[in-house]
Amino acid sequence: MNPEIAILLISCLTAVACAIPGVFLVLRKMALISDAISHSILPGIVVGFFITHDLASPWLILLAAISGIVTVWLVEAIQKTGLVKEDTAIGLVFPALFSIGVLLIAIYANDVHLDTDAVLVGKLEYAPFDNWIINSSSSQEGITNPEDFINMGPKSLWTTGSVLLVTLVLLGLFYKELKLSTFDIGLTSALGFSPVILHYGLMSVASVTTVVSFDAVGAILVVALIIAPAATAYLLTNDLKKMLLLSVVFGILAAFGGYYLSMWLDASISGSITTVLGLIFLLVYLFAPSRGLLAVLFRQRRQRTEVSLLTFLLHLNNHDSIEERSVTHLQEHINWGKVRAKKVLKLALENNMISKNGDVVTLSNKGKEFTEKALDYIITNKDEKIEDMKDDFFLFRG
Amino acid sequence: MADKIAVAVDDLTVAYNYKPVLWDIDLSIPEGVLMAIVGPNGAGKSTLIKSILGIIDPIAGSVQIYDKPYHKQRHLVAYVPQKGSVDWDFPTTALDVVMMGTYGALGWIKRPGNKQKKQSLEALEKVGMLPFKNRQINQLSGGQQQRVFLARALVQNASIYFMDEPFQGVDATTEIAIINILKELRKAGKTVIVVHHDLQTVPEYFDWVTFLNVKHIATGPVKDIFNDDNLTKTYGINYKVAVQQ
């Protein structure tokens, strides 16, 4: 297989496999547990490597996944003592397990290709050359004929691909249960769906995904692949299905973008992928239509103007005399700067809420109605009545 | 009324980290009552409901729903948790939350379909939330969120309804709307059990009441037992409320 295609495929599959459990971890406010898992699977990987001498062996993946589950369980056990909070418990557990892994490597595996560098950032660059070879000549031992060996392509492709497949099947089967238990754990158990099974099921998927991705992107960068796509998608949608879909899209985008960035910079592929993920998040954080920074600033500005408008209209509503309603008096009286006063006046005129006769402004019928409705809303807070106003004015949106 | 026992709690003790929250509770709730559970903060009101529903494991005692353990009678029970117990920023709509009420009858793996959607829309209509069905749940007011939760319980079409402080943080209109629905449920022969905070409204809203403060103090018809004596026993101070009969 062409190494370029192999690397692209592996990184896409890894990104998608990480993004799916990532959505649920982020929504459960457990994003940090992925950090813990990704580090504490190291002892599992090392012990598995001693036994199998193969980083892509299913046994190694299983052992590592078990150390991931043990992490989750340990964190919960420490937390349950009530002596420390969850973040502290996470901080206690994973460095302990990770350091056991580091010691095991240093003592027993110094001469094998399981180095700390690969552990930290992965070795995506070499993945296409670690191929799965099947020996089809089963009968004659000792005779080696090159034609009997079938090259099945990179091992990582197979491990990541199968994990992704299992993840997708589980997601398809248990989407409803995962959604329910993520949103409302009390109802989940009242309805008879065991939250414990769902929780550990999700954690198992997250652990296995982390193990197979670990090989490609390493212990630290895998955290970005799990958290960043979900966090980005969360800013863009109010629908769980769309959030899953968007996370997958962002994962794939980052895989492609990262690959070509790394070619251009001649730098680490996994590092480039996570950089691209970070950039995507930054862009969405700034420009997301309703939750983005710019949208929020814009909305706050409009809200301020609308509050000013309402204050202005209220003043007109409360004072009938001509001198109270002259433009110059209003400027002094409400104590606004010229710019702001002008803006409010313009807004009121545009919306036909006042009429202006020379220097004197008068509340129109529409303006009167609006003011009364708004007052009524602010005092009674009866939501139903102002449904139609909500579309025109940000002011009335919670 | 009062011949069949809907919920029977027997010697129930619950503890968090060895500290008892509920101590040796015996309680029988007859079918068809609209009952308030009252007691001071930390009295274990929510814990009582949660342990009846199997959300919390008691360290001793048992619970029977119509003479059988809860896990065999799930389909008869609906539950409205405290509004604050869930994350309202969760990416989902009002209709979707109501649909969750149908998950119990569906069981594992099966997905909700058109029938469940129709039931959910009817439940939304009943609580006056149909116009908001596609609204993101964090765009709803506190009262509207509570109505969505009520609709989710209604869609379960249960015989017994447990509600944990349904009036907390809701506006007056919603409070009246909710209590009217609860009264309708009672008229239809359902049993409704509500953790309640506002003692003033007990005689007006409910026909039965349970006083609870770690221990069970009294259970019975409001007109018989909602008096200064029981209030004092429950709240520990010399309690005087004007109870209009």
Side-chain angles (χ1 to χ4, degrees):
Chain A
M1 189 180 268
N2 178 340
E4 181 180 330
I5 294 175
I7 290 176
L8 271 174
L9 257 176
I10 292 168
S11 37
C12 280
L13 291 177
T14 309
V16 175
C18 288
I20 292 169
V23 166
F24 291 100
L25 290 179
V26 165
L27 288 176
R28 285 168 179 242
K29 300 175 180 66
M30 297 183 67
L32 262 187
I33 206 85
S34 66
D35 193 17
I37 291 175
S38 73
H39 284 79
S40 52
I41 55 175
L42 188 63
I45 289 179
V46 179
V47 173
F49 190 76
F50 291 156
I51 300 171
T52 62
H53 290 279
D54 179 3
L55 272 174
S57 149
W59 291 108
L60 178 138
I61 291 170
L62 189 72
L63 266 173
I66 289 172
S67 33
I69 309 281
V70 168
T71 315
V72 175
W73 179 80
L74 274 175
V75 168
E76 279 164 14
I78 293 179
Q79 200 189 336
K80 251 184 213 151
T81 62
L83 299 172
V84 294
K85 299 265 182 271
E86 189 187 9
D87 52 346
T88 315
I90 291 177
L92 285 168
V93 171
F94 84 79
L97 288 169
F98 186 71
S99 54
I100 293 174
V102 171
L103 288 181
L104 286 175
I105 293 179
I107 299 169
Y108 299 108
N110 246 340
D111 50 342
V112 295
H113 81 273
L114 187 70
D115 52 74
T116 36
D117 211 29
V119 165
L120 289 179
V121 296
K123 46 177 192 54
L124 206 43
E125 286 80 352
Y126 306 120
F129 308 109
D130 188 11
N131 286 336
W132 183 20
I133 312 287
I134 291 179
N135 186 351
S136 63
S137 67
S138 47
S139 50
Q140 299 134 307
E141 281 176 53
I143 303 161
T144 45
N145 181 357
E147 281 160 23
D148 286 339
F149 294 97
I150 304 168
N151 187 347
M152 299 293 288
K155 282 178 187 164
S156 293
L157 205 54
W158 286 95
T159 51
T160 328
S162 12
V163 168
L164 176 57
L165 194 68
V166 172
T167 306
L168 286 173
V169 169
L170 287 173
L171 178 70
L173 289 176
F174 300 111
Y175 174 75
K176 171 184 101 215
E177 288 79 2
L178 275 170
K179 179 166 80 176
L180 178 64
S181 69
T182 305
F183 176 62
D184 189 341
I185 196 162
L187 187 71
T188 311
S189 67
L191 291 181
F193 303 103
S194 163
V196 178
I197 292 177
L198 288 164
H199 175 68
Y200 276 94
L202 177 64
M203 289 306 146
S204 310
V205 170
S207 297
V208 174
T209 307
T210 313
V211 181
V212 295
S213 318
F214 184 97
D215 197 19
V217 294
I220 295 176
L221 301 185
V222 68
V223 181
L225 284 181
I226 290 176
I227 298 175
T232 315
Y234 184 71
L235 296 178
L236 286 171
T237 178
N238 288 327
D239 180 329
L240 181 57
K241 277 183 187 152
K242 281 184 196 146
M243 184 172 166
L244 280 161
L245 201 69
L246 278 172
S247 310
V248 167
V249 170
F250 289 136
I252 293 173
L253 269 179
F256 273 87
Y259 178 77
Y260 292 107
L261 180 70
S262 76
M263 291 300 112
W264 182 53
L265 295 175
D266 192 19
S268 143
I269 302 175
S270 53
S272 307
I273 291 176
T274 40
T275 306
V276 171
L277 272 176
L279 288 175
I280 293 177
F281 177 81
L282 181 67
L283 284 177
V284 171
Y285 169 72
L286 288 176
F287 301 111
S290 73
R291 292 182 198 166
L293 187 65
L294 293 184
V296 168
L297 287 177
F298 174 75
R299 197 160 52 231
Q300 281 172 351
R301 225 179 106 113
R302 258 198 78 160
Q303 272 174 344
R304 255 204 314 275
T305 315
E306 280 163 11
V307 172
S308 309
L309 173 68
L310 189 60
T311 317
F312 172 60
L313 293 177
L314 272 177
H315 182 80
L316 287 180
N317 200 26
N318 290 341
H319 301 276
D320 270 341
S321 66
I322 302 247
E323 53 268 31
E324 285 278 357
R325 290 190 280 125
S326 84
V327 174
T328 38
H329 167 84
L330 284 167
Q331 256 177 33
E332 286 165 26
H333 198 101
I334 308 190
N335 203 12
W336 289 339
K338 249 197 177 131
V339 181
R340 192 148 165 231
K342 235 182 196 165
K343 205 158 111 192
V344 170
L345 205 62
K346 203 175 137 226
L347 193 67
L349 277 170
E350 267 174 6
N351 284 292
N352 292 321
M353 293 197 171
I354 53 167
S355 55
K356 198 164 160 232
N357 188 3
D359 206 23
V360 176
V361 287
T362 317
L363 204 56
S364 71
N365 281 336
K366 192 189 166 199
K368 211 168 203 130
E369 200 189 332
F370 173 80
T371 317
E372 273 157 18
K373 263 186 171 174
L375 254 182
D376 190 45
Y377 169 68
I378 289 164
I379 295 167
T380 61
N381 206 2
K382 275 181 195 154
D383 272 354
E384 292 80 0
K385 277 189 186 169
I386 52 117
E387 272 317 300
D388 42 333
M389 294 167 84
K390 273 191 181 174
D391 297 327
D392 304 329
F393 289 93
F394 285 111
L395 185 60
F396 302 107
R397 288 183 201 162
Chain B
M1 199 184 87
D3 32 355
K4 257 177 154 181
I5 298 298
V7 183
V9 177
D10 203 19
D11 299 330
L12 186 82
T13 298
V14 178
Y16 292 132
N17 290 328
Y18 309 107
K19 184 174 173 276
V21 193
L22 288 174
W23 216 330
D24 201 28
I25 306 288
D26 288 300
L27 173 67
S28 328
I29 306 169
E31 182 179 50
V33 298
L34 174 48
M35 189 181 88
I37 300 175
V38 297
N41 288 332
K45 303 185 292 290
S46 299
T47 309
L48 177 60
I49 287 191
K50 283 183 188 161
S51 36
I52 291 174
L53 297 173
I55 299 170
I56 294 173
D57 284 329
I59 57 172
S62 68
V63 174
Q64 306 259 298
I65 307 284
Y66 286 113
D67 302 323
K68 283 183 192 155
Y70 173 73
H71 65 89
K72 288 193 177 150
Q73 304 281 52
R74 278 200 182 99
H75 58 285
L76 296 177
V77 178
Y79 170 49
V80 179
Q82 269 184 36
K83 196 159 64 65
S85 68
V86 304
D87 175 14
W88 290 94
D89 286 330
F90 191 83
T92 191
T93 60
L95 176 61
D96 215 29
V97 170
V98 178
M99 298 264 275
M100 288 178 188
T102 67
Y103 288 5
L106 285 168
W108 288 90
I109 298 177
K110 246 187 256 161
R111 297 281 193 95
N114 280 332
K115 188 181 151 211
Q116 283 74 22
K117 190 170 175 188
K118 204 174 140 250
Q119 292 170 340
S120 307
L121 289 172
E122 282 166 13
L124 273 173
E125 171 124 60
K126 244 181 236 169
V127 300
M129 287 291 295
L130 199 54
F132 304 88
K133 63 177 189 274
N134 290 326
R135 186 164 289 188
Q136 164 64 25
I137 52 172
N138 64 9
Q139 302 285 320
L140 298 171
S141 72
Q144 292 171 329
Q145 290 173 344
Q146 192 64 60
R147 288 183 199 207
V148 168
F149 258 17
L150 182 59
R152 189 178 70 174
L154 292 178
V155 90
Q156 287 181 253
N157 198 16
S159 306
I160 308 173
Y161 291 81
F162 288 93
M163 312 204 171
D164 205 341
E165 303 207 21
F167 304 117
Q168 197 176 44
V170 307
D171 52 286
T173 331
T174 301
E175 181 156 337
I176 292 164
I178 292 176
I179 196 65
N180 285 338
I181 289 169
L182 299 190
K183 284 179 175 170
E184 258 173 53
L185 286 172
R186 180 191 49 189
K187 258 186 217 151
K190 317 276 191 186
T191 310
V192 184
I193 296 143
V194 179
V195 170
H196 194 56
H197 242 89
D198 183 8
L199 290 171
Q200 304 291 338
T201 53
V202 169
E204 187 191 332
Y205 290 174
F206 301 95
D207 56 3
W208 268 54
V209 63
T210 284
F211 290 97
L212 186 76
N213 190 357
V214 185
K215 289 177 181 174
H216 176 245
I217 302 196
T219 295
V222 170
K223 60 178 173 8
D224 298 340
I225 67 157
F226 194 69
N227 51 38
D228 291 346
D229 184 34
N230 279 326
L231 284 165
T232 308
K233 273 188 203 159
T234 309
Y235 288 86
I237 43 173
N238 203 3
Y239 220 97
K240 295 261 184 240
V241 281
V243 181
Q244 298 106 25
Q245 292 288 334

